[in-house]
Amino acid sequence: MSTQPFFPLRTRLPRPSAADALVWLAGALPLLLLVVLISTLLTLSPAHAATDTSCHGHNLLVAMEKENPAELQKIRDEAAKVPNGKGIFWKIEKPGVAPSWLLGTMHVTDPRVLTMPPGAREAAAAADIVVIESDEVLDEQKAGATLLMHPELTMFTDGTSIKDHIDAEDLKALEAGLKERGLALGTVSRMKPWILASFVALPACEMARKAAGASFLDKQIAEDAVKAGKPVAGLETMVEQLQAMADLPLNFHFEALIETIALGDKMEDVTETMTELYLNGDVGMTMPMLKAVAPMPETGAENSYAAFEDRIVRDRNIVMSKGSLRHLEKGNAFIAVGALHLPGEEGLVELFRNQGFTVTQAGS
């Protein structure tokens, strides 16, 4: 039986704004396990299968610079307050130990992202070990089999389906949104809402590349290491990542799903904006940007956002930091994890410093 409570939408408080969905997606998309789950959905969705791998989103901040420069300056000012919010490639040093490296990643197949910042590819090639969030992505069939052993984390196992949890209006919107992506609601109605939300949030170009077998950045790094005969280690298991999502209120996931469907094509613009911020090393601007493009109401969203930050970001940062320590103590390790885990007072850069390492931007 599922341990999640049943919350019909019709009895809930007014749903949070689109910002909640965007903030949720900013944390959810870095989960490596989504690659396996999305691959499964793609096999169920031959109709979506796009052959056009070119993306069509626009950077929302470009228009903001012309139309509302004051708002853009607020975003920049907020980002400037984020510790270690600038930079995605870092050098980790300690006396008597060979330097190690930390790369913030996006788990996408975008060729611009796959290029990696200067020096990163060389550092990975010279490292003694490559460390990623979960090494299970190297064997998706095995990972999929592992997930099947924990159906309660991905599926409703209490006899209900999505149809039992949302009202008729939202169900109609969900069905239409899934249909646009080549998915029949009946086929996926027992899947947990955060899985579907992550799927519908991906631009068509990204889904097309994944369907064609393209590797996302973290997997490419791990595959290159295997080809070179290097060991690859993981910091989390996929079950642990799934559990982190399952620990958030089910209500929150349903709201995010419906809001994500409602955002429609705007998600492509959000994804492009996040990508360009990443490529510029401006990861500290990601959250301020999301809040600006879909502002939260004055009340009602704080608790959900705090739960997200605690469980999906901070808790996992601690796990990753502790798991990295043994590799850092040996030296010459190359660590690649989602870029949103790097900045902040409780981000990996600061946590590594707290463990006695000197961490500086690579090339600085």
Side-chain angles (χ1 to χ4, degrees):
M1 293 290 291
S2 171
T3 59
Q4 298 284 7
F6 183 155
F7 292 108
L9 275 177
R10 62 180 64 87
T11 65
R12 294 201 294 250
L13 295 172
R15 74 171 48 130
S17 74
D20 295 302
L22 294 175
V23 167
W24 180 90
L25 287 165
L29 287 174
L31 292 172
L32 292 184
L33 63 93
L34 289 178
V35 176
V36 175
L37 296 173
I38 288 170
S39 296
T40 300
L41 286 173
L42 290 174
T43 65
L44 300 174
S45 176
H48 93 49
T51 55
D52 182 8
T53 59
S54 48
C55 301
H56 305 288
H58 298 90
N59 188 336
L60 296 168
L61 300 183
V62 173
M64 187 180 293
E65 188 165 24
K66 297 178 180 178
E67 300 167 6
N68 194 348
E71 183 66 26
L72 179 58
Q73 189 58 49
K74 288 181 181 179
I75 294 174
R76 288 171 173 160
D77 291 344
E78 186 175 348
K81 299 176 184 177
V82 178
N84 313 308
K86 182 72 176 179
I88 58 173
F89 186 40
W90 299 78
K91 187 176 184 180
I92 307 169
E93 299 175 283
K94 192 175 188 179
V97 179
S100 291
W101 308 89
L102 173 65
L103 175 67
T105 66
M106 285 189 74
H107 306 328
V108 295
T109 60
D110 189 317
R112 296 171 297 172
V113 172
L114 296 180
T115 299
M116 300 170 63
R121 190 171 300 279
E122 293 78 7
D128 292 332
I129 188 171
V130 165
V131 184
I132 59 175
E133 288 181 27
S134 175
D135 58 353
E136 293 172 84
V137 297
L138 285 168
D139 189 341
E140 292 185 7
Q141 288 187 338
K142 182 179 178 181
T146 300
L147 297 180
L148 289 175
M149 296 174 64
H150 299 272
E152 74 283 356
L153 296 179
T154 59
M155 309 284 287
F156 289 108
T157 57
D158 59 358
T160 67
S161 72
I162 283 180
K163 297 178 182 179
D164 298 307
H165 293 263
I166 61 178
D167 61 27
E169 182 181 354
D170 286 332
L171 185 63
K172 183 177 180 181
L174 174 59
E175 190 167 16
L178 291 174
K179 186 176 181 180
E180 288 179 5
R181 294 158 177 82
L183 279 176
L185 177 61
T187 305
V188 297
S189 64
R190 293 194 181 278
M191 286 187 174
K192 291 292 179 72
W194 65 267
I195 299 175
L196 296 181
S198 300
F199 178 77
V200 299
L202 284 178
C205 55
E206 182 67 22
M207 290 193 292
R209 290 192 294 254
K210 280 185 167 65
S215 292
F216 58 101
L217 177 55
D218 307 65
K219 187 177 181 182
Q220 176 183 276
I221 291 170
E223 288 172 336
D224 289 345
V226 171
K227 290 176 183 176
K230 298 179 187 294
V232 176
L235 297 172
E236 300 174 302
T237 67
M238 289 193 172
V239 170
E240 288 172 334
Q241 290 189 341
L242 278 165
Q243 189 63 60
M245 296 302 297
D247 286 346
L248 292 178
L250 186 59
N251 235 24
F252 182 50
H253 291 311
F254 273 116
E255 301 292 4
L257 172 58
I258 299 301
E259 291 292 352
T260 303
I261 291 286
L263 284 168
D265 292 341
K266 189 174 183 179
M267 279 310 307
E268 290 203 27
D269 294 335
V270 171
T271 300
E272 176 61 22
T273 307
M274 291 175 65
T275 300
E276 292 195 24
L277 287 176
Y278 170 82
L279 294 171
N280 291 328
D282 291 322
V283 291
M285 285 184 66
T286 302
M287 290 302 185
M289 177 275 294
L290 292 176
K291 294 176 184 177
V293 300
M296 289 188 294
E298 293 183 2
T299 61
E302 290 81 3
N303 290 340
S304 293
Y305 177 60
F308 159 79
E309 274 200 313
D310 286 341
R311 189 67 186 94
I312 304 302
V313 181
R314 293 194 185 106
D315 288 357
R316 294 179 61 223
N317 286 354
I318 293 171
V319 170
M320 291 181 187
S321 173
K322 291 180 178 178
S324 299
L325 185 57
R326 63 190 178 95
H327 303 297
L328 295 178
E329 292 289 2
K330 293 179 181 178
N332 200 27
F334 186 90
I335 302 171
V337 299
L340 290 180
H341 292 286
L342 273 58
E345 294 179 359
E346 298 173 280
L348 284 182
V349 171
E350 208 60 40
L351 290 176
F352 289 159
R353 286 174 178 156
N354 292 342
Q355 291 174 340
F357 295 91
T358 298
V359 187
T360 54
Q361 284 192 51
S364 65

